PDB file of all heavy atoms in Angstrom:
ATOM      1  N   ALA V1232     -10.319 -26.683   7.039  1.00  0.00           N
ATOM      2  CA  ALA V1232     -11.345 -25.829   7.676  1.00  0.00           C
ATOM      3  C   ALA V1232     -10.834 -24.420   7.821  1.00  0.00           C
ATOM      4  O   ALA V1232     -11.556 -23.442   7.610  1.00  0.00           O
ATOM      5  CB  ALA V1232     -11.704 -26.430   9.048  1.00  0.00           C
ATOM      6  N   LEU V1233      -9.532 -24.255   8.160  1.00  0.00           N
ATOM      7  CA  LEU V1233      -8.946 -22.930   8.248  1.00  0.00           C
ATOM      8  C   LEU V1233      -8.881 -22.253   6.882  1.00  0.00           C
ATOM      9  O   LEU V1233      -9.067 -21.043   6.765  1.00  0.00           O
ATOM     10  CB  LEU V1233      -7.546 -23.024   8.892  1.00  0.00           C
ATOM     11  CG  LEU V1233      -7.584 -23.278  10.411  1.00  0.00           C
ATOM     12  CD1 LEU V1233      -6.256 -23.859  10.874  1.00  0.00           C
ATOM     13  CD2 LEU V1233      -7.868 -21.971  11.141  1.00  0.00           C
ATOM     14  N   HIS V1234      -8.593 -23.050   5.874  1.00  0.00           N
ATOM     15  CA  HIS V1234      -8.658 -22.591   4.483  1.00  0.00           C
ATOM     16  C   HIS V1234     -10.000 -21.994   4.188  1.00  0.00           C
ATOM     17  O   HIS V1234     -10.142 -20.884   3.659  1.00  0.00           O
ATOM     18  CB  HIS V1234      -8.342 -23.768   3.568  1.00  0.00           C
ATOM     19  CG  HIS V1234      -8.566 -23.572   2.095  1.00  0.00           C
ATOM     20  ND1 HIS V1234      -7.640 -23.926   1.163  1.00  0.00           N
ATOM     21  CD2 HIS V1234      -9.573 -23.030   1.372  1.00  0.00           C
ATOM     22  CE1 HIS V1234      -8.071 -23.648  -0.041  1.00  0.00           C
ATOM     23  NE2 HIS V1234      -9.261 -23.094   0.071  1.00  0.00           N
ATOM     24  N   ASN V1235     -11.074 -22.738   4.532  1.00  0.00           N
ATOM     25  CA  ASN V1235     -12.422 -22.265   4.280  1.00  0.00           C
ATOM     26  C   ASN V1235     -12.797 -21.025   5.120  1.00  0.00           C
ATOM     27  O   ASN V1235     -13.469 -20.130   4.631  1.00  0.00           O
ATOM     28  CB  ASN V1235     -13.409 -23.398   4.559  1.00  0.00           C
ATOM     29  CG  ASN V1235     -13.249 -24.540   3.586  1.00  0.00           C
ATOM     30  OD1 ASN V1235     -12.690 -24.362   2.490  1.00  0.00           O
ATOM     31  ND2 ASN V1235     -13.689 -25.717   3.977  1.00  0.00           N
ATOM     32  N   LEU V1236     -12.311 -20.970   6.333  1.00  0.00           N
ATOM     33  CA  LEU V1236     -12.498 -19.811   7.192  1.00  0.00           C
ATOM     34  C   LEU V1236     -11.822 -18.582   6.543  1.00  0.00           C
ATOM     35  O   LEU V1236     -12.421 -17.495   6.501  1.00  0.00           O
ATOM     36  CB  LEU V1236     -11.915 -20.025   8.586  1.00  0.00           C
ATOM     37  CG  LEU V1236     -12.865 -20.553   9.650  1.00  0.00           C
ATOM     38  CD1 LEU V1236     -12.065 -20.946  10.902  1.00  0.00           C
ATOM     39  CD2 LEU V1236     -13.911 -19.532   9.994  1.00  0.00           C
ATOM     40  N   ALA V1237     -10.610 -18.769   6.066  1.00  0.00           N
ATOM     41  CA  ALA V1237      -9.903 -17.661   5.413  1.00  0.00           C
ATOM     42  C   ALA V1237     -10.667 -17.154   4.222  1.00  0.00           C
ATOM     43  O   ALA V1237     -10.817 -15.938   4.000  1.00  0.00           O
ATOM     44  CB  ALA V1237      -8.496 -18.116   5.026  1.00  0.00           C
ATOM     45  N   PHE V1238     -11.201 -18.068   3.429  1.00  0.00           N
ATOM     46  CA  PHE V1238     -11.926 -17.708   2.239  1.00  0.00           C
ATOM     47  C   PHE V1238     -13.207 -16.910   2.632  1.00  0.00           C
ATOM     48  O   PHE V1238     -13.539 -15.905   2.011  1.00  0.00           O
ATOM     49  CB  PHE V1238     -12.297 -18.955   1.444  1.00  0.00           C
ATOM     50  CG  PHE V1238     -12.940 -18.666   0.104  1.00  0.00           C
ATOM     51  CD1 PHE V1238     -12.188 -18.224  -0.961  1.00  0.00           C
ATOM     52  CD2 PHE V1238     -14.299 -18.819  -0.075  1.00  0.00           C
ATOM     53  CE1 PHE V1238     -12.763 -17.972  -2.195  1.00  0.00           C
ATOM     54  CE2 PHE V1238     -14.872 -18.568  -1.290  1.00  0.00           C
ATOM     55  CZ  PHE V1238     -14.111 -18.137  -2.360  1.00  0.00           C
ATOM     56  N   ALA V1239     -13.882 -17.374   3.662  1.00  0.00           N
ATOM     57  CA  ALA V1239     -15.096 -16.671   4.124  1.00  0.00           C
ATOM     58  C   ALA V1239     -14.754 -15.281   4.609  1.00  0.00           C
ATOM     59  O   ALA V1239     -15.523 -14.313   4.340  1.00  0.00           O
ATOM     60  CB  ALA V1239     -15.772 -17.472   5.226  1.00  0.00           C
ATOM     61  N   HIS V1240     -13.658 -15.141   5.308  1.00  0.00           N
ATOM     62  CA  HIS V1240     -13.256 -13.794   5.789  1.00  0.00           C
ATOM     63  C   HIS V1240     -12.948 -12.875   4.591  1.00  0.00           C
ATOM     64  O   HIS V1240     -13.235 -11.691   4.636  1.00  0.00           O
ATOM     65  CB  HIS V1240     -12.057 -13.907   6.712  1.00  0.00           C
ATOM     66  CG  HIS V1240     -12.381 -14.417   8.083  1.00  0.00           C
ATOM     67  ND1 HIS V1240     -13.398 -13.893   8.838  1.00  0.00           N
ATOM     68  CD2 HIS V1240     -11.818 -15.402   8.840  1.00  0.00           C
ATOM     69  CE1 HIS V1240     -13.470 -14.528  10.005  1.00  0.00           C
ATOM     70  NE2 HIS V1240     -12.503 -15.453  10.025  1.00  0.00           N
ATOM     71  N   GLU V1241     -12.342 -13.451   3.544  1.00  0.00           N
ATOM     72  CA  GLU V1241     -12.086 -12.648   2.354  1.00  0.00           C
ATOM     73  C   GLU V1241     -13.381 -12.170   1.703  1.00  0.00           C
ATOM     74  O   GLU V1241     -13.492 -10.994   1.279  1.00  0.00           O
ATOM     75  CB  GLU V1241     -11.227 -13.441   1.377  1.00  0.00           C
ATOM     76  CG  GLU V1241      -9.804 -13.614   1.822  1.00  0.00           C
ATOM     77  CD  GLU V1241      -8.947 -14.351   0.823  1.00  0.00           C
ATOM     78  OE1 GLU V1241      -9.471 -14.688  -0.268  1.00  0.00           O
ATOM     79  OE2 GLU V1241      -7.774 -14.590   1.108  1.00  0.00           O
ATOM     80  N   VAL V1242     -14.353 -13.084   1.605  1.00  0.00           N
ATOM     81  CA  VAL V1242     -15.632 -12.725   1.030  1.00  0.00           C
ATOM     82  C   VAL V1242     -16.275 -11.586   1.851  1.00  0.00           C
ATOM     83  O   VAL V1242     -16.900 -10.683   1.268  1.00  0.00           O
ATOM     84  CB  VAL V1242     -16.583 -13.942   1.004  1.00  0.00           C
ATOM     85  CG1 VAL V1242     -18.020 -13.542   0.655  1.00  0.00           C
ATOM     86  CG2 VAL V1242     -16.064 -14.984   0.009  1.00  0.00           C
ATOM     87  N   ALA V1243     -16.113 -11.653   3.168  1.00  0.00           N
ATOM     88  CA  ALA V1243     -16.658 -10.611   4.042  1.00  0.00           C
ATOM     89  C   ALA V1243     -15.754  -9.392   4.154  1.00  0.00           C
ATOM     90  O   ALA V1243     -16.034  -8.467   4.960  1.00  0.00           O
ATOM     91  CB  ALA V1243     -16.906 -11.195   5.443  1.00  0.00           C
ATOM     92  N   GLN V1244     -14.667  -9.377   3.344  1.00  0.00           N
ATOM     93  CA  GLN V1244     -13.742  -8.238   3.301  1.00  0.00           C
ATOM     94  C   GLN V1244     -13.114  -7.974   4.665  1.00  0.00           C
ATOM     95  O   GLN V1244     -13.038  -6.852   5.165  1.00  0.00           O
ATOM     96  CB  GLN V1244     -14.437  -6.986   2.765  1.00  0.00           C
ATOM     97  CG  GLN V1244     -14.948  -7.161   1.342  1.00  0.00           C
ATOM     98  CD  GLN V1244     -15.539  -5.914   0.742  1.00  0.00           C
ATOM     99  OE1 GLN V1244     -15.865  -4.948   1.464  1.00  0.00           O
ATOM    100  NE2 GLN V1244     -15.628  -5.853  -0.559  1.00  0.00           N
ATOM    101  N   ARG V1245     -12.597  -9.059   5.265  1.00  0.00           N
ATOM    102  CA  ARG V1245     -11.847  -8.965   6.489  1.00  0.00           C
ATOM    103  C   ARG V1245     -10.463  -9.519   6.258  1.00  0.00           C
ATOM    104  O   ARG V1245     -10.151 -10.667   6.650  1.00  0.00           O
ATOM    105  CB  ARG V1245     -12.567  -9.742   7.617  1.00  0.00           C
ATOM    106  CG  ARG V1245     -13.918  -9.139   7.998  1.00  0.00           C
ATOM    107  CD  ARG V1245     -14.473  -9.780   9.273  1.00  0.00           C
ATOM    108  NE  ARG V1245     -14.880 -11.168   9.069  1.00  0.00           N
ATOM    109  CZ  ARG V1245     -16.142 -11.557   8.811  1.00  0.00           C
ATOM    110  NH1 ARG V1245     -17.096 -10.638   8.735  1.00  0.00           N
ATOM    111  NH2 ARG V1245     -16.434 -12.827   8.672  1.00  0.00           N
ATOM    112  N   PRO V1246      -9.589  -8.815   5.531  1.00  0.00           N
ATOM    113  CA  PRO V1246      -8.304  -9.340   5.116  1.00  0.00           C
ATOM    114  C   PRO V1246      -7.379  -9.744   6.251  1.00  0.00           C
ATOM    115  O   PRO V1246      -6.629 -10.723   6.147  1.00  0.00           O
ATOM    116  CB  PRO V1246      -7.704  -8.223   4.272  1.00  0.00           C
ATOM    117  CG  PRO V1246      -8.430  -7.015   4.686  1.00  0.00           C
ATOM    118  CD  PRO V1246      -9.829  -7.429   5.043  1.00  0.00           C
ATOM    119  N   SER V1247      -7.389  -9.015   7.374  1.00  0.00           N
ATOM    120  CA  SER V1247      -6.504  -9.359   8.485  1.00  0.00           C
ATOM    121  C   SER V1247      -6.910 -10.724   9.094  1.00  0.00           C
ATOM    122  O   SER V1247      -6.035 -11.551   9.433  1.00  0.00           O
ATOM    123  CB  SER V1247      -6.502  -8.275   9.539  1.00  0.00           C
ATOM    124  OG  SER V1247      -7.789  -8.080  10.067  1.00  0.00           O
ATOM    125  N   ASP V1248      -8.232 -10.937   9.245  1.00  0.00           N
ATOM    126  CA  ASP V1248      -8.679 -12.239   9.760  1.00  0.00           C
ATOM    127  C   ASP V1248      -8.352 -13.352   8.753  1.00  0.00           C
ATOM    128  O   ASP V1248      -7.972 -14.451   9.163  1.00  0.00           O
ATOM    129  CB  ASP V1248     -10.187 -12.209   9.982  1.00  0.00           C
ATOM    130  CG  ASP V1248     -10.601 -11.314  11.170  1.00  0.00           C
ATOM    131  OD1 ASP V1248      -9.742 -11.116  12.028  1.00  0.00           O
ATOM    132  OD2 ASP V1248     -11.738 -10.861  11.193  1.00  0.00           O
ATOM    133  N   ALA V1249      -8.495 -13.046   7.480  1.00  0.00           N
ATOM    134  CA  ALA V1249      -8.192 -14.048   6.454  1.00  0.00           C
ATOM    135  C   ALA V1249      -6.716 -14.437   6.499  1.00  0.00           C
ATOM    136  O   ALA V1249      -6.369 -15.618   6.472  1.00  0.00           O
ATOM    137  CB  ALA V1249      -8.535 -13.536   5.065  1.00  0.00           C
ATOM    138  N   ARG V1250      -5.857 -13.439   6.642  1.00  0.00           N
ATOM    139  CA  ARG V1250      -4.415 -13.712   6.684  1.00  0.00           C
ATOM    140  C   ARG V1250      -4.066 -14.593   7.890  1.00  0.00           C
ATOM    141  O   ARG V1250      -3.291 -15.542   7.780  1.00  0.00           O
ATOM    142  CB  ARG V1250      -3.649 -12.387   6.740  1.00  0.00           C
ATOM    143  CG  ARG V1250      -2.130 -12.610   6.846  1.00  0.00           C
ATOM    144  CD  ARG V1250      -1.376 -11.290   6.848  1.00  0.00           C
ATOM    145  NE  ARG V1250      -0.009 -11.482   7.193  1.00  0.00           N
ATOM    146  CZ  ARG V1250       0.940 -11.937   6.349  1.00  0.00           C
ATOM    147  NH1 ARG V1250       0.600 -12.258   5.113  1.00  0.00           N
ATOM    148  NH2 ARG V1250       2.193 -12.092   6.718  1.00  0.00           N
ATOM    149  N   ALA V1251      -4.669 -14.282   9.031  1.00  0.00           N
ATOM    150  CA  ALA V1251      -4.400 -15.091  10.265  1.00  0.00           C
ATOM    151  C   ALA V1251      -4.808 -16.541  10.051  1.00  0.00           C
ATOM    152  O   ALA V1251      -4.097 -17.468  10.422  1.00  0.00           O
ATOM    153  CB  ALA V1251      -5.120 -14.487  11.457  1.00  0.00           C
ATOM    154  N   CYS V1252      -5.949 -16.728   9.392  1.00  0.00           N
ATOM    155  CA  CYS V1252      -6.406 -18.136   9.139  1.00  0.00           C
ATOM    156  C   CYS V1252      -5.522 -18.837   8.144  1.00  0.00           C
ATOM    157  O   CYS V1252      -5.223 -20.055   8.299  1.00  0.00           O
ATOM    158  CB  CYS V1252      -7.852 -18.103   8.647  1.00  0.00           C
ATOM    159  SG  CYS V1252      -9.062 -17.720   9.934  1.00  0.00           S
ATOM    160  N   TRP V1253      -5.037 -18.122   7.105  1.00  0.00           N
ATOM    161  CA  TRP V1253      -4.110 -18.753   6.158  1.00  0.00           C
ATOM    162  C   TRP V1253      -2.837 -19.227   6.863  1.00  0.00           C
ATOM    163  O   TRP V1253      -2.357 -20.341   6.611  1.00  0.00           O
ATOM    164  CB  TRP V1253      -3.747 -17.774   5.044  1.00  0.00           C
ATOM    165  CG  TRP V1253      -4.779 -17.535   4.007  1.00  0.00           C
ATOM    166  CD1 TRP V1253      -5.317 -16.348   3.619  1.00  0.00           C
ATOM    167  CD2 TRP V1253      -5.431 -18.528   3.157  1.00  0.00           C
ATOM    168  NE1 TRP V1253      -6.234 -16.540   2.633  1.00  0.00           N
ATOM    169  CE2 TRP V1253      -6.351 -17.856   2.320  1.00  0.00           C
ATOM    170  CE3 TRP V1253      -5.321 -19.911   3.058  1.00  0.00           C
ATOM    171  CZ2 TRP V1253      -7.144 -18.498   1.387  1.00  0.00           C
ATOM    172  CZ3 TRP V1253      -6.110 -20.563   2.142  1.00  0.00           C
ATOM    173  CH2 TRP V1253      -7.007 -19.860   1.306  1.00  0.00           C
ATOM    174  N   LEU V1254      -2.326 -18.409   7.775  1.00  0.00           N
ATOM    175  CA  LEU V1254      -1.086 -18.778   8.478  1.00  0.00           C
ATOM    176  C   LEU V1254      -1.349 -19.959   9.400  1.00  0.00           C
ATOM    177  O   LEU V1254      -0.505 -20.871   9.507  1.00  0.00           O
ATOM    178  CB  LEU V1254      -0.572 -17.573   9.258  1.00  0.00           C
ATOM    179  CG  LEU V1254      -0.022 -16.433   8.384  1.00  0.00           C
ATOM    180  CD1 LEU V1254       0.321 -15.240   9.254  1.00  0.00           C
ATOM    181  CD2 LEU V1254       1.212 -16.871   7.586  1.00  0.00           C
TER     182      LEU V1254
END
Side-chain angles (χ1 to χ4, degrees):
L1233 285 159
H1234 171 132
N1235 294 338
L1236 268 171
F1238 187 75
H1240 285 310
E1241 288 183 2
V1242 170
Q1244 298 185 342
R1245 295 191 290 263
S1247 60
D1248 290 337
R1250 177 177 171 78
C1252 287
W1253 284 124
L1254 291 173

